Amino acid sequence: DGTPVASTATSGLITFAVDASNTTLILPQIMIDMRVEIYQIHWVLTASGIARTVTIAATGWLIGRFGPRTLYLLSIGAMVIGSVGSLFAWDWFSLIFFRMLSGAGGGMIPQLSQAIFYQIFPPKQRGMALGFSMLGWSIGPAFGPFMGGNLLAIASWRIIYAISLLLSGAGWLMAWWWLPNLRRPPRRRLDYWGSLTVTVAISTLLIALTQGN
């Protein structure tokens, strides 16, 4: 029965989507609390986006090196640590660092989830499994801002990262209990120049767009 594994992978997608969508809600409060100028606040989103870009480009190679289970635990673990750090961030630069850590971990989750679904379900059920994964993409962006917006009415902006911590912590425990040791694909040489080119191109595009140039 692949239901526990599918639930684990879907929970990771929900966590990733909630973490990414909720941050936009708290930018004004972060500006006031940490005394950040309006031309700096975009780095909360941009730094995380750049980190996701780097790990997305290397996910296939990392799966071959560590295996799906280990890499999934590492990616969710990075989100746990990033959420803890963001929750207790003591200054602007520490918040940026921990958002990058969360972004690096979260960037691998969509590809890992697809790889897990592909191995767990037989060919006839993979369409259903992919539909199940899309449930995570649908629930996360809808559920996160709704809950986060209501909590922000009565709590600090840090409550958003407490939500991410609870979700990522639960997702890590689910993966530890239910995610089996899946087949590791053959190790291949990392395309360093290709990864570097994609990372630089997308990173500079993100910076240009956020700067309004």
Side-chain angles (χ1 to χ4, degrees), residues 5 7 14 16 29 37 52-53 58 65 74 80 90-91 108 119 122 124-125 127 130 142 146 155 170 187 201 210:
V5 179
S7 300
I14 293 174
F16 169 69
Q29 292 192 21
E37 298 294 337
R52 283 197 297 269
T53 300
R65 185 174 181 82
L74 288 173
V80 171
W90 52 92
D91 60 19
M108 293 184 283
Q119 288 200 38
K124 291 183 178 180
Q125 295 181 355
L130 293 177
F146 174 77
R187 290 182 59 177
T210 53

Short mmCIF file of all heavy atoms in Angstrom, two decimals, residues 5 7 14 16 29 37 52-53 58 65 74 80 90-91 108 119 122 124-125 127 130 142 146 155 170 187 201 210:
data_model
loop_
_atom_site.label_atom_id
_atom_site.label_comp_id
_atom_site.label_asym_id
_atom_site.label_seq_id
_atom_site.Cartn_x
_atom_site.Cartn_y
_atom_site.Cartn_z
N VAL A 5 3.23 6.49 2.03
CA VAL A 5 4.32 7.16 1.33
C VAL A 5 3.79 8.34 0.52
O VAL A 5 4.39 9.42 0.49
CB VAL A 5 5.06 6.16 0.41
CG1 VAL A 5 6.17 6.86 -0.35
CG2 VAL A 5 5.63 5.02 1.23
N SER A 7 1.12 10.04 1.19
CA SER A 7 0.75 11.08 2.15
C SER A 7 1.98 11.85 2.61
O SER A 7 1.93 13.08 2.79
CB SER A 7 0.05 10.45 3.36
OG SER A 7 -1.13 9.78 2.97
N ILE A 14 2.83 20.31 0.51
CA ILE A 14 2.01 21.28 1.24
C ILE A 14 2.91 22.20 2.07
O ILE A 14 2.74 23.43 2.09
CB ILE A 14 0.98 20.57 2.13
CG1 ILE A 14 -0.05 19.84 1.28
CG2 ILE A 14 0.30 21.56 3.07
CD1 ILE A 14 -1.03 18.99 2.07
N PHE A 16 6.08 22.94 1.59
CA PHE A 16 6.82 23.83 0.69
C PHE A 16 5.94 24.98 0.21
O PHE A 16 6.36 26.15 0.21
CB PHE A 16 7.35 23.02 -0.48
CG PHE A 16 7.91 23.84 -1.60
CD1 PHE A 16 9.08 24.56 -1.43
CD2 PHE A 16 7.27 23.90 -2.82
CE1 PHE A 16 9.61 25.33 -2.46
CE2 PHE A 16 7.78 24.66 -3.85
CZ PHE A 16 8.95 25.38 -3.68
N GLN A 29 5.36 43.78 8.34
CA GLN A 29 5.70 43.66 9.76
C GLN A 29 7.20 43.48 9.97
O GLN A 29 7.76 44.00 10.94
CB GLN A 29 4.93 42.50 10.39
CG GLN A 29 3.43 42.74 10.49
CD GLN A 29 2.74 41.70 11.35
OE1 GLN A 29 3.36 41.05 12.18
NE2 GLN A 29 1.44 41.54 11.17
N GLU A 37 14.57 48.86 5.16
CA GLU A 37 14.06 49.78 4.15
C GLU A 37 13.28 49.00 3.09
O GLU A 37 13.49 47.79 2.88
CB GLU A 37 15.21 50.54 3.50
CG GLU A 37 15.99 51.41 4.47
CD GLU A 37 15.17 52.56 5.03
OE1 GLU A 37 14.17 52.94 4.38
OE2 GLU A 37 15.50 53.06 6.11
N ARG A 52 16.58 28.12 -3.95
CA ARG A 52 15.78 27.08 -4.61
C ARG A 52 16.31 26.80 -6.01
O ARG A 52 16.36 25.64 -6.45
CB ARG A 52 14.31 27.49 -4.68
CG ARG A 52 13.57 27.35 -3.38
CD ARG A 52 12.07 27.36 -3.62
NE ARG A 52 11.60 28.61 -4.18
CZ ARG A 52 11.20 29.65 -3.46
NH1 ARG A 52 11.22 29.58 -2.13
NH2 ARG A 52 10.77 30.74 -4.04
N THR A 53 16.71 27.84 -6.72
CA THR A 53 17.23 27.67 -8.07
C THR A 53 18.47 26.80 -8.08
O THR A 53 18.63 25.91 -8.93
CB THR A 53 17.56 29.05 -8.68
OG1 THR A 53 16.37 29.85 -8.73
CG2 THR A 53 18.12 28.89 -10.09
N ALA A 58 20.51 20.92 -9.18
CA ALA A 58 21.37 19.80 -8.76
C ALA A 58 20.60 18.63 -8.16
O ALA A 58 21.22 17.66 -7.73
CB ALA A 58 22.40 20.31 -7.74
N ARG A 65 23.40 10.52 -5.72
CA ARG A 65 24.48 10.44 -4.75
C ARG A 65 24.00 9.94 -3.39
O ARG A 65 24.66 9.14 -2.72
CB ARG A 65 25.14 11.81 -4.59
CG ARG A 65 26.36 11.82 -3.68
CD ARG A 65 27.04 13.18 -3.70
NE ARG A 65 28.23 13.19 -2.85
CZ ARG A 65 29.42 12.74 -3.20
NH1 ARG A 65 29.59 12.22 -4.40
NH2 ARG A 65 30.43 12.81 -2.37
N LEU A 74 16.99 15.05 4.29
CA LEU A 74 17.87 16.21 4.36
C LEU A 74 17.15 17.49 3.94
O LEU A 74 17.33 18.55 4.56
CB LEU A 74 19.10 15.99 3.48
CG LEU A 74 20.13 14.97 3.99
CD1 LEU A 74 21.21 14.73 2.92
CD2 LEU A 74 20.77 15.44 5.29
N VAL A 80 13.21 22.43 8.42
CA VAL A 80 13.01 22.50 9.87
C VAL A 80 13.98 23.48 10.50
O VAL A 80 13.60 24.38 11.26
CB VAL A 80 13.17 21.10 10.51
CG1 VAL A 80 13.18 21.21 12.04
CG2 VAL A 80 12.05 20.16 10.06
N TRP A 90 17.50 36.96 14.92
CA TRP A 90 17.86 38.07 15.80
C TRP A 90 18.16 39.36 15.04
O TRP A 90 18.20 40.43 15.63
CB TRP A 90 19.05 37.69 16.67
CG TRP A 90 20.22 37.17 15.90
CD1 TRP A 90 21.28 37.89 15.41
CD2 TRP A 90 20.43 35.82 15.49
NE1 TRP A 90 22.14 37.07 14.74
CE2 TRP A 90 21.66 35.79 14.77
CE3 TRP A 90 19.72 34.62 15.67
CZ2 TRP A 90 22.17 34.60 14.22
CZ3 TRP A 90 20.24 33.45 15.13
CH2 TRP A 90 21.45 33.45 14.42
N ASP A 91 18.40 39.25 13.74
CA ASP A 91 18.60 40.45 12.94
C ASP A 91 18.24 40.14 11.48
O ASP A 91 17.88 39.02 11.13
CB ASP A 91 20.02 41.01 13.07
CG ASP A 91 21.09 40.02 12.63
OD1 ASP A 91 20.77 39.06 11.90
OD2 ASP A 91 22.26 40.19 13.01
N MET A 108 14.13 21.19 -3.44
CA MET A 108 14.28 19.80 -3.89
C MET A 108 13.01 18.97 -3.71
O MET A 108 12.90 17.89 -4.28
CB MET A 108 15.43 19.14 -3.10
CG MET A 108 16.79 19.72 -3.41
SD MET A 108 18.13 18.84 -2.56
CE MET A 108 17.95 19.52 -0.90
N GLN A 119 8.48 5.65 -8.24
CA GLN A 119 8.96 4.34 -7.79
C GLN A 119 7.92 3.57 -6.99
O GLN A 119 7.88 2.34 -7.05
CB GLN A 119 10.21 4.53 -6.92
CG GLN A 119 11.45 4.95 -7.70
CD GLN A 119 12.72 4.65 -6.94
OE1 GLN A 119 12.85 3.64 -6.27
NE2 GLN A 119 13.69 5.57 -7.05
N PRO A 122 2.88 1.58 -9.55
CA PRO A 122 3.08 0.95 -10.86
C PRO A 122 2.62 1.89 -11.97
O PRO A 122 1.89 2.86 -11.71
CB PRO A 122 2.20 -0.30 -10.78
CG PRO A 122 1.16 0.01 -9.76
CD PRO A 122 1.83 0.90 -8.76
N LYS A 124 0.31 1.91 -14.18
CA LYS A 124 -1.11 2.18 -14.33
C LYS A 124 -1.66 3.14 -13.28
O LYS A 124 -2.72 3.73 -13.47
CB LYS A 124 -1.89 0.86 -14.27
CG LYS A 124 -1.66 -0.05 -15.47
CD LYS A 124 -2.52 -1.30 -15.38
CE LYS A 124 -2.33 -2.19 -16.60
NZ LYS A 124 -3.17 -3.42 -16.53
N GLN A 125 -0.95 3.29 -12.16
CA GLN A 125 -1.43 4.14 -11.08
C GLN A 125 -0.67 5.46 -10.97
O GLN A 125 -0.96 6.27 -10.09
CB GLN A 125 -1.33 3.39 -9.75
CG GLN A 125 -2.22 2.17 -9.66
CD GLN A 125 -2.11 1.48 -8.31
OE1 GLN A 125 -1.30 1.84 -7.47
NE2 GLN A 125 -2.93 0.45 -8.11
N GLY A 127 -0.66 8.06 -12.94
CA GLY A 127 -1.50 9.22 -13.22
C GLY A 127 -2.27 9.64 -11.98
O GLY A 127 -2.36 10.83 -11.66
N LEU A 130 0.19 11.24 -9.51
CA LEU A 130 0.53 12.61 -9.85
C LEU A 130 -0.62 13.56 -9.52
O LEU A 130 -0.41 14.69 -9.09
CB LEU A 130 0.90 12.71 -11.33
CG LEU A 130 2.19 11.99 -11.73
CD1 LEU A 130 2.42 12.10 -13.24
CD2 LEU A 130 3.38 12.55 -10.97
N ALA A 142 -3.67 27.75 -0.84
CA ALA A 142 -4.99 28.18 -0.37
C ALA A 142 -5.07 28.20 1.15
O ALA A 142 -5.61 29.14 1.75
CB ALA A 142 -6.07 27.25 -0.93
N PHE A 146 -4.65 31.82 4.16
CA PHE A 146 -5.88 31.97 4.93
C PHE A 146 -5.60 31.84 6.43
O PHE A 146 -6.01 32.69 7.24
CB PHE A 146 -6.89 30.91 4.49
CG PHE A 146 -8.14 30.87 5.33
CD1 PHE A 146 -9.14 31.82 5.15
CD2 PHE A 146 -8.31 29.90 6.31
CE1 PHE A 146 -10.30 31.80 5.93
CE2 PHE A 146 -9.46 29.87 7.09
CZ PHE A 146 -10.45 30.82 6.90
N ALA A 155 -1.17 37.86 16.41
CA ALA A 155 0.18 37.44 16.80
C ALA A 155 1.22 38.14 15.94
O ALA A 155 0.90 38.84 14.97
CB ALA A 155 0.33 35.92 16.67
N ALA A 170 6.50 17.75 11.29
CA ALA A 170 5.61 16.61 11.09
C ALA A 170 5.98 15.85 9.82
O ALA A 170 5.97 14.62 9.79
CB ALA A 170 4.16 17.08 11.03
N ARG A 187 24.59 6.90 -10.53
CA ARG A 187 25.27 8.18 -10.32
C ARG A 187 25.84 8.68 -11.64
O ARG A 187 26.48 7.95 -12.38
CB ARG A 187 26.39 8.02 -9.30
CG ARG A 187 25.89 7.79 -7.88
CD ARG A 187 27.04 7.68 -6.90
NE ARG A 187 27.87 8.87 -6.89
CZ ARG A 187 28.90 9.05 -6.07
NH1 ARG A 187 29.23 8.09 -5.21
NH2 ARG A 187 29.60 10.15 -6.10
N ALA A 201 21.81 32.68 -14.49
CA ALA A 201 20.79 33.31 -15.34
C ALA A 201 19.51 33.59 -14.55
O ALA A 201 18.97 34.71 -14.59
CB ALA A 201 20.50 32.41 -16.54
N THR A 210 13.03 41.97 -9.12
CA THR A 210 12.69 42.51 -7.79
C THR A 210 13.18 43.95 -7.64
O THR A 210 12.60 44.72 -6.88
CB THR A 210 13.31 41.65 -6.68
OG1 THR A 210 14.70 41.48 -6.93
CG2 THR A 210 12.64 40.28 -6.63
#
